[in-house]
Amino acid sequence: MPRFAEFDVEGLRKSSAVADFPWSETWVTLIRVDAKGVVRQAKSLTEKVSLLTVASDKDLVIASCPEIYAVDDLSAARAAIRASAAREMTPSLG
């Protein structure tokens, strides 16, 4: 049985409430606590993509920037961070 049945994030602001959340900024750290209590953090864009890829609805995912936000829409977070990663990989033609 998991150590935590579910996480209560009612006291936290939700990332979905912020227009254009700055997912890819270096000053944003993602933190994931899984159902067994294992904690992981992601600071780089590559780490953030990996963390969000394995995160599930049973995990607690928060963003620290410097306020703390509950990541309440994993699909939107994944799409935003993957779009940022794609932009970073695309060479500019300037």
Side-chain angles (χ1 to χ4, degrees), residues 1 5 8 10 17 21-22 28 31 34 36 38 43 47 57 67 76 80-81 85:
M1 166 156 282
D8 180 5
E10 289 305 312
F21 194 88
V28 174
I31 300 166
D34 70 16
K36 294 181 180 179
V38 177
K43 293 184 175 194
E47 291 171 339
D57 291 335
E67 292 181 54
I81 202 72

Side-chain angles (χ1 to χ4, degrees), residues 1-55:
M1 166 156 282
R3 189 167 152 192
F4 304 103
E6 75 178 49
F7 296 97
D8 180 5
V9 295
E10 289 305 312
L12 298 176
R13 293 180 64 186
K14 309 297 187 272
S15 61
S16 63
V18 178
D20 298 322
F21 194 88
W23 297 106
S24 63
E25 295 295 335
T26 56
W27 43 268
V28 174
T29 299
L30 297 181
I31 300 166
R32 173 181 166 245
V33 182
D34 70 16
K36 294 181 180 179
V38 177
V39 179
R40 301 276 191 257
Q41 74 173 8
K43 293 184 175 194
S44 73
L45 193 55
T46 303
E47 291 171 339
K48 291 174 187 178
V49 169
S50 295
L51 184 143
L52 290 171
T53 298
V54 298

